[in-house]
Amino acid sequence: MFLGCHLSISKGFENIAQTAIKINANTFQFFTRNPRGGRARSVDLSDIKKMNSLLEKNNFGPIVAHAPYTLNPCSQETKNRDFASLVLQEDLILLENIPNCFYNFHPGSHVGNGKEVGIQRTSDLLNDVITSSQKTQILIETMSGQGSEIGSSFEEIAQIIEKTHSHEKIGVCLDTCHVFAAGYDIIHHLDNVLTDFDKIIGLTRLKAIHLNDSLKPFGSHKDRHARIGAGEIGLFPILNIIKHPLLKNLPFILETPNDSDGYFTEINLLKEKN
């Protein structure tokens, strides 16, 4: 099982790998830049090489890079879409230096223009930034449906993928809090949810899991993460997810409200119960 958490690269790439090892993780996620801003940090390629070496020596699974929250690929403002395009292009260039790394992003909010317009704009952006030579696979994250978000239904994600020319470059990251809030019953009907995912999107596109409990109830369309076992989903349904034969080999990334010590506790709890 590949289990880890979201960690900061503020002290460098080698440091983040060392931190992951210390907390008993064998995967992790990091923001490519300030999650609430747009400026990319300067990167030392030798630092990345040191991280890559540590990950290989310690048998890490795939890791995940996360685009900043400020991106809105389907904004009605051209300047915002241009900014999203620039960030994605810059990040994808950086990530070519990190093997076995996915690039996760939120598909955006249509801000009153309607879901069809939002879906088209997000797929247009993907068509603009994806290159035939890139090795990094882009993951569309499942969303809760808060406000005017697109991507809260499997159908909407499938439409984005269908409208994107380079299908092989696109995958999906399933967030347990988000799909629960969006109305997918992963507590009582996990098999049915996965069957629907397979029929609509295809399980071969599912590349990573954001493993979070939910502060808000089922179908709330509210994106509020909780620590494992401290929310409306609960510990045992989350254990069922990480043990499921169709999911158990994916990287599981905790985005729970924790520091490193808290993540260490959650990782060990889940490994002990698995």
Side-chain angles (χ1 to χ4, degrees):
M1 177 176 65
F2 300 118
L3 181 60
C5 60
H6 190 96
L7 296 171
S8 170
I9 58 167
S10 61
K11 295 182 179 179
F13 285 94
E14 182 183 19
N15 179 269
I16 197 176
Q18 292 170 339
T19 300
I21 293 166
K22 287 178 182 177
I23 63 173
N24 205 21
N26 55 3
T27 183
F28 58 84
Q29 178 178 267
F30 64 94
F31 279 116
T32 55
R33 57 188 72 209
N34 187 328
R36 301 293 179 186
R39 180 177 297 178
R41 67 192 301 273
S42 59
V43 174
D44 180 353
L45 292 181
S46 66
D47 186 32
I48 290 180
K49 288 180 181 179
K50 291 175 183 177
M51 177 189 72
N52 292 341
S53 178
L54 279 172
L55 300 186
E56 184 177 2
K57 287 178 182 177
N58 289 275
N59 300 312
F60 270 60
I63 61 174
V64 181
H66 200 305
Y69 293 136
T70 47
L71 259 64
N72 187 3
C74 58
S75 171
Q76 60 184 341
E77 299 291 337
T78 302
K79 64 178 181 180
N80 293 338
R81 298 199 302 275
D82 289 345
F83 169 72
S85 178
L86 176 65
V87 169
L88 262 67
Q89 289 179 65
E90 289 180 349
D91 286 353
L92 288 169
I93 291 170
L94 166 67
L95 295 176
E96 288 300 288
N97 297 290
I98 306 176
N100 210 21
C101 181
F102 296 116
Y103 184 48
N104 181 73
F105 82 111
H106 293 181
S109 298
H110 62 75
V111 201
N113 289 289
K115 291 184 177 181
E116 289 186 7
V117 172
I119 288 166
Q120 186 63 56
R121 284 177 174 166
T122 296
S123 61
D124 286 345
L125 180 139
L126 290 172
N127 285 327
D128 287 342
V129 303
I130 291 175
T131 65
S132 59
S133 61
Q134 78 179 52
K135 299 182 183 70
T136 305
Q137 194 166 23
I138 300 173
L139 306 187
I140 302 170
E141 183 172 339
T142 59
M143 304 306 294
S144 65
Q146 186 168 275
S148 61
E149 283 178 343
I150 62 171
S152 63
S153 73
F154 297 158
E155 287 82 2
E156 290 170 18
I157 291 176
Q159 289 175 49
I160 295 171
I161 296 171
E162 288 167 7
K163 293 176 181 291
T164 303
H165 300 150
S166 300
H167 287 185
E168 74 281 3
K169 308 286 187 181
I170 303 294
V172 176
C173 175
L174 187 148
D175 187 300
T176 55
C177 170
H178 293 177
V179 294
F180 178 76
Y184 289 97
D185 190 353
I186 56 174
I187 296 179
H188 305 102
H189 300 293
L190 177 60
D191 284 337
N192 292 345
V193 172
L194 294 178
T195 297
D196 288 345
F197 187 101
D198 192 33
K199 288 179 180 177
I200 297 165
I201 298 175
L203 278 169
T204 56
R205 292 197 186 276
L206 184 55
K207 302 299 182 180
I209 304 284
H210 282 168
L211 197 65
N212 304 302
D213 213 321
S214 176
L215 281 177
K216 298 297 182 180
F218 177 72
S220 66
H221 297 289
K222 298 294 184 183
D223 179 5
R224 301 290 187 274
H225 295 191
R227 293 183 176 89
I228 301 301
E232 296 287 332
I233 298 174
L235 175 61
F236 291 108
I238 287 174
L239 290 172
N240 288 337
I241 290 168
I242 64 176
K243 292 177 181 179
H244 197 285
L246 295 176
L247 305 176
K248 64 181 182 178
N249 295 321
L250 297 176
F252 293 94
I253 306 293
L254 294 162
E255 292 182 319
T256 50
N258 272 313
D259 56 15
S260 292
D261 289 341
Y263 283 132
F264 177 75
T265 299
E266 282 191 336
I267 288 168
N268 286 329
L269 169 67
L270 292 170
K271 285 188 174 183
E272 288 169 6
K273 298 288 186 180
N274 186 33

